[in-house]
Amino acid sequence: MIRISQLANSVQPSATMAAGAKARQMKAAGIRVYDFSLGEPDFPTPAHICQAAQKAMANGQTHYTPAGGIAELKKVIQKWYQQRYGFSFLPEQVFVSNGAKHSIHNALAAFCNPGDEVIIPTPYWVSYSDLVQMTGAVPVLVPTDPQNLFKITPAQLQKAITPKTRLFMINSPSNPTGTVYFREELMALAQVILKTEVAVLSDEIYEQLTYGEAQPTCFATLHPDLPARTITISGASKSYAMTGWRMGWTIATKAFIQAMDNIQSQETGCPSSISQHALIAALDGPQECVAEMKKEFEKRREIVCNLMGKIPGISFKIPEGAFYLFFDITALYGKTVGGIEIRDSVSFCKFALEVANVNLVPGAAFGMDGFARMSYATSTNEIEAGIAQLGKFLAN
Ligand code: PMP
Ligand code: GLU
């Protein structure tokens, strides 16, 4: 008999991936869905990146690579951080994997022991809590204040630290809230951390997508003592529209990267050779494509905020990064639309999908009920039509 392990039984499917799959199914069945579920840029991968992959294939670069990635790519990643943040490290401190999600999983597997406590500001990106639990460690969820733009404060962080705390996970710009911490705010959190033995996992995958005055910060560069205790994660999925290429990376200490390397060598062997060559072209090639996509996201952000702001019962603060709007729906509680009573984020999203054909992700999936997430990584037409649908049904 094929049985299912306790580990597998304890894992929830990723709510964002499940919502994306649901939209695909409905579309295949001929149903018109306005899909705002997945955080996946709708742009094609820029042509010069695709050409680099084609060239890699033509040149026979289609074999296994070293477990943690090819030397040429590690050099490009080094150069990128040096130029962008003045952050220097050795090639042995770089690790490439099949997406940032894989890097996070691998890093947690290399770091956590059963019973360790990992502090996660809430709302958090769906996979954090499950990935921590898969290692036997304990996610310690710290609810943040929407009025404080969902930013964990130094006092909240301090209070959450116990003798069992080993890791603090931070994500700025944030999924699902779009919040971008100011440098000074991260510095204040770093001051709390530096008084302890706690390490930091900083997920910076949306670093190139900040709007207006907001600026990204590379957490490890905030203090000379931080590189020794910070695991920096990023990836190409969001900024370069490369979700399907599965390219992510980690920067940490040499010994830790070696541990991640060992795990990856047993687990997947290495990341895709072709995608690694594409990533070289992405990071080392022309960057205008990123600027253009960012400009378009910024434009969509304005449209989304403008239109959603007109729907009575929905409230939010304007997000400064990534491509999500995380909005408060509690004022709609008690309302019944199309036979569905809105009483939490799940029933709200059920109404949105089944009545208005608008696909969103409930705040509960990110650890914070009372909110829903709208990804605006989709066309302006879709945004306008989908929000009009929501507004129409909520007005009735
Ligand atoms: N971190 C965050 C905060 C994300 O939103 C995502 C989105 N998928 C990831 C990591 C993982 O991205 P990927 O595995 O596609 O690199
Ligand atoms: N990160 C994206 C999201 O939150 C993609 C889906 C996923 O990897 O979970 O929608």
Side-chain angles (χ1 to χ4, degrees):
M1 185 171 122
I2 302 177
R3 62 152 199 199
I4 293 168
S5 70
Q6 286 170 6
L7 172 75
N9 269 325
S10 72
V11 177
Q12 303 290 322
S14 156
T16 47
M17 297 298 282
K22 175 93 186 162
R24 272 194 289 273
Q25 259 173 23
M26 289 174 72
K27 282 179 193 166
I31 303 168
R32 173 73 171 101
V33 195
Y34 302 89
D35 188 19
F36 303 107
S37 61
L38 259 193
E40 169 160 49
D42 55 324
F43 306 113
T45 304
H48 70 278
I49 300 176
C50 298
Q51 281 152 13
Q54 283 157 356
K55 198 168 147 209
M57 283 189 272
N59 289 345
Q61 282 150 336
T62 51
H63 299 278
Y64 291 140
T65 74
I70 55 179
E72 193 186 348
L73 173 55
K74 291 186 181 187
K75 264 198 212 123
V76 167
I77 294 175
Q78 265 182 305
K79 185 172 132 198
W80 199 80
Y81 278 86
Q82 176 61 50
Q83 285 178 347
R84 199 166 158 79
Y85 299 109
F87 184 19
S88 314
F89 42 79
L90 302 167
E92 294 88 340
Q93 291 180 260
V94 186
F95 168 87
V96 180
S97 58
N98 302 299
K101 192 186 282 192
H102 187 212
S103 262
I104 296 168
H105 184 195
N106 210 323
L108 291 171
F111 184 89
C112 294
N113 285 325
D116 286 350
E117 288 182 2
V118 177
I119 297 177
I120 306 177
T122 305
Y124 53 82
W125 176 49
V126 275
S127 296
Y128 289 169
S129 169
D130 280 277
L131 289 176
V132 167
Q133 282 181 53
M134 279 165 75
T135 68
V138 182
V140 175
L141 308 179
V142 180
T144 58
D145 181 357
Q147 295 308 322
N148 192 35
L149 297 168
F150 307 97
K151 293 174 183 176
I152 188 171
T153 63
Q156 285 176 312
L157 175 59
Q158 182 72 62
K159 200 166 154 226
I161 295 175
T162 75
K164 287 187 177 168
T165 308
R166 294 288 174 270
L167 189 66
F168 167 53
M169 291 176 77
I170 181 126
N171 173 219
S172 173
S174 151
N175 178 2
T177 62
T179 292
V180 185
Y181 285 73
F182 290 123
R183 192 178 172 80
E184 298 70 32
E185 290 167 332
L186 291 174
M187 191 81 93
L189 295 172
Q191 293 305 337
V192 174
I193 291 292
L194 286 167
K195 287 192 200 113
T196 68
E197 295 294 311
V198 174
V200 177
L201 187 152
S202 180
D203 177 354
E204 299 171 10
I205 191 162
Y206 295 98
E207 63 184 306
Q208 298 207 62
L209 298 175
T210 57
Y211 314 117
E213 305 286 295
Q215 292 291 333
T217 303
C218 178
F219 193 89
T221 60
L222 287 170
H223 188 281
D225 293 343
L226 283 174
R229 58 163 83 199
T230 305
I231 304 164
T232 304
I233 307 265
S234 196
S237 286
K238 315 295 172 174
S239 314
Y240 296 94
M242 287 178 72
T243 45
W245 300 78
R246 311 307 303 126
M247 278 285 102
W249 59 88
T250 307
I251 295 141
T253 58
K254 201 170 143 185
F256 187 72
I257 291 298
Q258 184 59 56
M260 286 182 72
D261 227 79
N262 294 347
I263 292 175
Q264 187 151 287
S265 75
Q266 297 286 13
E267 182 196 39
T268 64
C270 64
S272 150
S273 59
I274 300 155
S275 295
Q276 290 185 64
H277 286 278
L279 180 56
I280 292 174
L283 294 178
D284 210 26
Q287 299 298 304
E288 287 79 9
C289 54
V290 180
E292 278 163 28
M293 289 190 272
K294 179 174 147 161
K295 207 165 137 205
E296 180 61 27
F297 284 133
E298 192 157 14
K299 194 176 106 196
R300 293 174 186 181
R301 178 186 72 139
E302 259 175 52
I303 297 172
V304 163
C305 292
N306 185 17
L307 296 176
M308 289 292 280
K310 291 186 181 140
I311 301 182
I314 284 178
S315 60
F316 54 85
K317 294 252 189 318
I318 295 175
E320 296 185 304
F323 33 58
Y324 307 104
L325 182 73
F326 199 61
F327 56 95
D328 189 327
I329 49 151
T330 49
L332 296 169
Y333 282 11
K335 204 173 162 82
T336 299
V337 200
I340 298 176
E341 189 199 332
I342 300 172
R343 52 193 143 67
D344 51 22
S345 61
V346 172
S347 53
F348 174 80
C349 290
K350 188 174 157 65
F351 138 73
L353 185 61
E354 293 179 9
V355 180
N357 287 9
V358 172
N359 199 18
L360 302 162
V361 185
F366 307 97
M368 192 171 271
D369 210 351
F371 290 79
R373 189 191 80 172
M374 168 176 270
S375 159
Y376 56 85
T378 190
S379 74
T380 312
N381 283 347
E382 200 70 0
I383 291 171
E384 287 171 347
I387 299 179
Q389 279 282 106
L390 262 190
K392 185 176 91 186
F393 284 98
L394 285 173
N396 286 336

